[in-house]
Each structure stands twice: as C-alpha cells, then as structure tokens.
Amino acid sequence: MNSSNVWTRTKRKPGLYRYNPSGQYFARVRRGGKLYRRKLGTNDLAYAKRKLDDYKRDLDRTDHTKGNTSFAKVLDDYAATLKGAPSTLRDKKATILTIKTILGGCASQPLRNLAPSTFEAFLADRYGQLSASAYNSALALVRSALDLAVRDKIIVENPVAHLKYRKRETPVRITPTFEQFQEIVASVRGQPFNADAQEMMGLLGLGQAELSALGRSDVDLAAGRIFVKRRKTGVGFHIPIFPQARDLIEKLCQGKRHDERLFKLDDPRKALTSACNRLGYVPFTQRSLRRMFITRAIERGVDVTVIAQWQGHKDGGKLILDTYSHVNPVHSNRMAALMTTEEPANVVPMRRAL
C-alpha cells in the first residue's frame, strides 16, 4: 500500500488522523515545538473527536517550559521529598542511584521523550529475576517519582501507571513455642553479657525499633501500662504491663532516671542468634518472637481486636486474622464452645429493649 494512502487527515478537525489499514484514529498534536502522538483506541469518528479534545486539554495542563526536564532531575526532586525511617530512606536512595546508573544516557534525556517501554524494560531486566518484594519496591518508587512529574506538569500522564505489582509468595514464618522461647531466654541469661530486649520482645510483643526507643518515662508502674511509639508510622499507643512481664519491667526501671533508656543494647539480634545456635534451633528472628506473642494470645482466647490494639494497628484485627489464619480454627472452636443452650458463668445479662 502506498504510504500516502495509509493515513487520512480528518477534515475540519486538526490533529486527527485515521490509520486506513485498521480504521483506528490517532492524535498528532504539536505543543511547545514538540509533536505528541497518541492512539485513540477507536474507529468511531465522533468518539475519536471527543478523545482528541480530551488529549489536547491534557497537553494544555503541562508546563512547556519544563519540556527538557530529565528523568534524573525528576528522581533528584523526588529524593528531596522522601521521609521515613533512616533504613527506608537509605534503601530508596540506593534504588534511585541504581536507576540512574543503569539507565545511563536515558536518564539524562528529557522525560517526555522516554516511552513507557523504557521503564518497563528497565524494571524487567533489573528486578524481574528478583523477589516480588524487590520488584514491587522499585516499581513503587518509579511510579511515585513519575506521579510527582505529573503534578509538576512535566508530563501528561504516568508512563508506568499500567504496570501491576507482582503477587508476593506466602512467606514461611517460623515461630518458636513458648517453651522454646523460655529456653532461649535462659540461654541468653547464662552468658556474661546478656540482653533483656529479646526477652521483652516475647513478653510484650513489641519490635526491636519500639523497644530500643523505650525510656523510663514511658513506663507507668502505678497505672500498669507502657507508652509505645510505632517507629514506621510515628503513632503512639499504650499497652498493659502484662503479668508475665511485670517482674522484668520493674527490674529494668529500678535506679533509672526519668529520661534514661530501659535497654542498653539497640539490637539484641546477636544474642538471639547465638542462643538459637547453642540450643540447635532454627535461627529465630526478632519478628519470630512477636509472632509467638500474638499466636499465644490468640490461642489463649484474647480477642483479636484487643491484640490489634496492643500492636498499634487501626484495622480492628484484620491484618492479624489474615496473617495468623493458621490459629483461627483454634480460636473459632473455643468461641464456638461458648454457644450452648446453657448460660455460661462469664456472661453478663444485658437489659432487653422495650
């Protein structure tokens, strides 16, 4: 077919072209000295005209003075907006450096000149063989940086908006029994330089970041509660001083000033790992101890909404039910046993509505 017969320009509608072999309409619009092209995805003339008008309005929302802004500059601008925990910031900045290094010359080109396939190929080549978590983290960063470019009117739309996150495999979560936990505690205590933090993780169900930040002022022995601040979210909440942790809490508070930290070690990971090695256990992590606490609470009949409050969650227990589904049958069967024709001793009669 002659090239002159491939395209037909629509009369009285500048910028609208019909691709004759397929009948599909395309937009070709010039803004700020640059030619923009887009497939309109229809062979209906009236609908194509409306989509062309929408596309022109999108282009008018961009700032043509920023047409030469590079992707590298967008990444730098995005890096300046990052907030969060130091480890999170470090990981994101490392990813930004990786993107700029691997893309090389492409990163220094005007962002408007980069096709969606450029980003798609980069993510597939660099992160496609890695875990779903690594791929999703990289995609989330690129998507957020490009969202910033859209808000700054550098580009009309996010070129990776169509990409989907990969489904993460269900992780194998090893969890010690309470008896194994007690043996680990005894093993740690038997060492010259022991750490109380790993014991407190299992007794309070808190993570290393929250425990390391606890100070004497956060513990109210009279009220029987501890103030905890979630490191990731910055949200504060209270947990009870559980009977199983009371003696150790009182010991840690003895002789400490109001502004003094409860724990000397920031990270008791080494003590935990060494104890597992000595006892011949699998290498339980600090998160394993938190899982043990939550699992044990569920098995003892503590309501999941209460456990969620102890963890600083705002979802009413949904995350716990999803994560600890293997414990649900135990909890459900215990609750089912209460549904008898007789009145259980722990039931408080409620006044019936008139």
Side-chain angles (χ1 to χ4, degrees):
M1 181 181 294
N2 191 303
S3 59
S4 61
N5 297 326
V6 172
W7 294 95
T8 299
R9 181 177 179 179
T10 305
K11 295 181 180 179
R12 290 182 291 182
K13 194 64 178 178
L16 185 61
Y17 291 79
R18 182 176 184 271
Y19 185 61
N20 295 324
S22 65
Q24 292 285 307
Y25 284 94
F26 287 74
R28 296 180 65 190
V29 181
R30 190 172 294 278
R31 287 289 187 278
K34 177 177 172 57
L35 182 63
Y36 294 89
R37 301 179 179 86
R38 173 183 282 186
K39 182 178 179 180
L40 299 178
T42 182
N43 56 10
D44 179 82
L45 177 58
Y47 186 45
K49 288 180 178 179
R50 293 196 297 271
K51 296 199 70 174
L52 174 63
D53 291 337
D54 291 340
Y55 184 49
K56 288 180 177 179
R57 281 191 289 270
D58 286 341
L59 290 176
D60 289 337
R61 290 199 299 268
T62 62
D63 186 346
H64 302 299
T65 64
K66 300 179 180 179
N68 291 324
T69 303
S70 67
F71 184 41
K73 177 64 166 58
V74 169
L75 288 172
D76 291 339
D77 291 343
Y78 172 69
T81 68
L82 293 175
K83 297 179 181 179
S87 59
T88 302
L89 294 178
R90 183 175 60 251
D91 292 343
K92 287 187 176 182
K93 289 180 179 179
T95 302
I96 289 174
L97 180 60
T98 299
I99 294 172
K100 292 168 68 175
T101 301
I102 294 180
L103 284 179
C106 287
S108 60
Q109 291 184 24
L111 177 57
R112 291 179 179 178
N113 294 345
L114 299 183
S117 58
T118 302
F119 302 99
E120 191 169 354
F122 161 74
L123 290 167
D125 292 342
R126 178 63 179 84
Y127 295 96
Q129 302 303 317
L130 301 182
S131 67
S133 178
Y135 176 86
N136 293 343
S137 295
L139 173 56
L141 187 147
V142 172
R143 179 172 286 163
S144 296
L146 293 172
D147 280 340
L148 179 64
V150 172
R151 293 194 298 273
D152 286 346
K153 299 183 178 182
I154 298 172
I155 52 177
V156 176
E157 59 186 6
N158 193 321
V160 299
H162 66 289
L163 295 182
K164 296 182 179 181
Y165 293 109
R166 286 166 47 184
K167 185 177 181 180
R168 298 176 60 178
E169 296 180 1
T170 302
V172 178
R173 298 184 172 95
I174 54 174
T175 306
T177 63
F178 190 69
E179 291 71 27
Q180 288 175 322
F181 166 68
Q182 290 176 311
E183 291 183 6
I184 291 172
V185 169
S187 178
V188 172
R189 286 180 175 176
Q191 302 305 305
F193 301 98
N194 56 62
D196 294 315
Q198 52 81 27
E199 181 176 357
M200 199 57 69
M201 288 179 186
L203 297 179
L204 294 180
L206 298 178
Q208 178 266 327
E210 289 73 35
L211 282 175
S212 63
L214 283 183
R216 176 62 184 87
S217 60
D218 297 316
V219 181
D220 189 339
L221 292 174
R225 66 180 189 175
I226 302 172
F227 176 75
V228 180
K229 190 172 184 179
R230 181 68 71 203
R231 177 70 64 86
K232 288 185 177 180
T233 62
V235 176
F237 57 98
H238 287 90
I239 64 169
I241 299 179
F242 306 110
Q244 63 186 12
R246 181 82 191 193
D247 290 344
L248 182 55
I249 289 291
E250 290 180 348
K251 171 191 167 185
L252 290 170
C253 289
Q254 286 179 359
K256 284 190 170 62
R257 300 186 308 274
H258 184 74
D259 59 348
E260 193 172 351
R261 291 172 56 193
L262 283 189
F263 301 99
K264 296 179 181 179
L265 292 178
D266 287 328
D267 190 351
R269 185 182 311 166
K270 185 177 180 180
L272 177 59
T273 302
S274 299
C276 290
N277 290 337
R278 287 192 298 270
L279 295 169
Y281 291 156
V282 294
F284 294 122
T285 65
Q286 295 154 309
R287 290 189 177 184
S288 300
L289 302 184
R290 173 180 280 182
R291 287 196 295 272
M292 180 214 68
F293 174 89
I294 295 175
T295 299
R296 187 163 177 261
I298 295 174
E299 291 174 342
R300 283 178 165 251
V302 181
D303 192 83
V304 291
T305 57
V306 175
I307 301 173
Q309 292 173 5
W310 293 347
Q311 293 294 303
H313 297 173
K314 301 295 184 181
D315 60 0
K318 181 180 183 304
L319 177 62
I320 290 176
L321 288 175
D322 291 343
T323 307
Y324 297 84
S325 58
H326 64 287
V327 189
N328 285 352
V330 177
H331 184 59
S332 178
N333 291 338
R334 181 182 289 110
M335 297 301 102
L338 299 177
M339 304 304 295
T340 67
T341 55
E342 301 175 356
E343 199 72 23
N346 63 339
V347 170
V348 178
M350 299 181 64
R351 182 179 179 182
R352 300 184 182 277
L354 298 178

